[in-house]
Amino acid sequence: GRAIEVMNCRPPSIGCRIRDQEETPLFKSAIDYSAANQYIEAHYNQRTYFESDSVEEPIFDGRLLQARCGTVNSMLTSNGFAIVESISDFGNDYSDLHAIEQNYIPELERVLISRYGEELQHSVFWNPMLRGESYEIAGDSSSVATANIASLVHIDTDVGAHADVNEFLDIVQMNQVSSNRGGSSWVDDFEQTRKAIQEGRRFAVVNFWRNLSSGGRAPLAIMGTRYQSGGGDIAFPDSRPDTSRSHWYIFPNSTDQEVIVFYQYDRDSRQPSDLWHCAIQSPCDENSEPRRSFDIRALVVLNEVVKNGYDRFREDRTRPGLSFEESGCFCDEQAEERKNRNM
């Protein structure tokens, strides 16, 4: 079927008057929800979490939405995602793990401090990934892992599915990236992090995504997710996205001097998080170089204690029907099936 319907190939500038985003999509693109639907049915026994496996969705301009919010922090608080200026002399070699640890992580730490200030208690960066349209899944403990771009709708980590904080932190620790923080007062101490989470402190998983190519090919699209309210928990997996209020956004012409920040989890249900995302086709694909990008996650722990009514990591939260090991097998089989289908 037709993947793209061009509605306005040229993005409006920041200086334009901000109109209702529903009236000014940039274009339409096919969004593939099939993997998300399969995951949720297998883990939570919910059929058709998204109403259809494939929908041609209008794509809106995240830069206009952010201009409407006024500040990066307002954008993050209201929508859970934002684009941040991130000028760095790091260069473009994101395959060098040591260079990332020494030169890039400090830049991202500044973003976290700007966001959280003195509320920030601990942070750990983990799971660095270099993505490209021609890349295969590869990597070891001494290098940055590589993977193809992710064109299926997904969230990066289902935090609430873990049996307990220890299981989750074990995954983070196995994939952590060291930093050159020096004498900073907030350190990557897993025991302190574990204790803080067990005491009910707020924690979040934040993704940092940076475009390394020019031309805007296969951009990152993020659903500004608003979950349905039905008297219960208003978050994944207990609530479905409200399709009348959830819209897809890209940040047109993002560069390697900017980083897109978005929430993959927040213990406090009042913060928009669990943002579904994927790479999409855009009108710029034909005349652009193949996409390369780099992403890395941060686990952040705050001083704030989450109130019981908003705590998504409480003991009686919804649990998946599959164990951690069974879930891993399911995801591996799902990936293998799709690989074979595309051969």
Side-chain angles (χ1 to χ4, degrees):
R2 184 179 55 186
I4 302 173
E5 177 186 343
V6 178
M7 302 183 70
N8 183 2
C9 189
R10 182 185 175 192
S13 69
I14 292 295
C16 293
R17 179 175 67 87
I18 300 174
R19 295 172 289 173
D20 188 308
Q21 63 266 36
E22 291 186 4
E23 298 177 359
T24 57
L26 300 174
F27 54 88
K28 281 189 173 182
S29 187
I31 302 294
D32 190 335
Y33 296 102
S34 59
N37 277 335
Q38 290 171 5
Y39 175 90
I40 295 166
E41 181 174 0
H43 288 73
Y44 297 104
N45 198 29
Q46 296 185 43
R47 298 182 62 85
T48 61
Y49 184 80
F50 291 100
E51 294 176 1
S52 177
D53 280 347
S54 182
V55 180
E56 211 170 78
E57 301 277 19
I59 310 299
F60 300 100
D61 189 343
R63 293 186 187 273
L64 289 184
L65 181 63
Q66 186 159 318
R68 180 187 241 166
C69 290
T71 67
V72 168
N73 276 340
S74 293
M75 178 73 167
L76 286 169
T77 299
S78 299
N79 300 290
F81 64 100
I83 192 166
V84 180
E85 185 178 61
S86 178
I87 306 299
S88 174
D89 296 328
F90 173 63
N92 205 29
D93 187 8
Y94 285 83
S95 62
D96 186 335
L97 185 58
H98 180 71
I100 289 169
E101 292 172 343
Q102 296 295 309
N103 302 314
Y104 185 50
I105 295 301
E107 169 65 22
L108 300 184
E109 289 173 342
R110 287 191 286 272
V111 176
L112 289 180
I113 293 172
S114 176
R115 169 64 175 159
Y116 298 111
E118 294 182 355
E119 273 295 302
L120 185 60
Q121 189 178 101
H122 307 292
S123 71
V124 183
F125 288 88
W126 57 297
N127 203 62
M129 185 72 68
L130 186 61
R131 301 184 189 274
E133 293 182 59
S134 61
Y135 290 2
E136 301 266 336
I137 296 177
D140 53 46
S141 60
S142 63
S143 63
V144 174
T146 60
N148 208 298
I149 62 174
S151 58
L152 303 178
V153 172
H154 65 285
I155 53 176
D156 292 329
T157 179
D158 186 358
V159 174
H162 290 280
D164 54 32
V165 65
N166 296 318
E167 185 179 87
F168 171 58
L169 289 182
D170 285 347
I171 298 298
V172 176
Q173 192 165 19
M174 282 192 299
N175 296 280
Q176 72 168 317
V177 174
S178 301
S179 68
N180 189 29
R181 204 174 268 133
S184 176
S185 60
W186 41 284
V187 297
D188 291 339
D189 186 322
F190 272 84
E191 287 311 310
Q192 290 186 41
T193 298
R194 194 185 317 271
K195 182 180 178 182
I197 293 176
Q198 289 172 336
E199 291 174 346
R201 305 286 178 185
R202 181 180 173 186
F203 71 98
V205 176
V206 181
N207 195 320
F208 295 88
W209 186 94
R210 187 177 293 255
N211 184 25
L212 304 180
S213 53
S214 61
R217 182 181 171 101
L220 171 69
I222 300 172
M223 175 188 273
T225 313
R226 294 290 186 265
Y227 286 95
Q228 297 173 0
S229 57
D233 288 336
I234 309 174
F236 169 82
D238 300 288
S239 181
R240 289 179 167 86
D242 184 342
T243 55
S244 68
R245 299 187 300 127
S246 300
H247 305 292
W248 284 91
Y249 295 90
I250 64 170
F251 290 96
N253 306 314
S254 64
T255 73
D256 62 0
Q257 298 299 298
E258 298 173 302
V259 63
I260 297 173
V261 184
F262 59 102
Y263 278 86
Q264 282 301 274
Y265 179 84
D266 196 299
R267 184 173 193 163
D268 191 328
S269 63
R270 292 170 293 184
Q271 169 63 54
S273 65
D274 300 276
L275 299 183
W276 300 91
H277 59 285
C278 62
I280 63 170
Q281 292 179 290
S282 87
C284 301
D285 283 2
E286 288 186 11
N287 301 315
S288 302
E289 64 181 61
R291 194 192 100 180
R292 291 177 65 250
S293 61
F294 178 80
D295 57 88
I296 190 169
R297 304 168 197 172
L299 167 64
V300 297
V301 182
L302 307 179
N303 291 318
E304 172 189 352
V305 174
V306 180
K307 296 179 180 179
N308 287 334
Y310 304 106
D311 185 2
R312 298 178 57 206
F313 203 69
R314 65 188 184 275
E315 190 61 31
D316 65 344
R317 66 186 180 274
T318 299
R319 309 289 183 130
L322 302 183
S323 68
F324 180 72
E325 291 75 17
E326 290 170 334
S327 178
C329 291
F330 168 83
C331 293
D332 290 344
E333 292 170 0
Q334 187 184 50
E336 186 65 25
E337 177 186 345
R338 290 183 176 278
K339 180 180 178 181
N340 293 336
R341 188 185 307 170
N342 293 330
M343 290 179 64

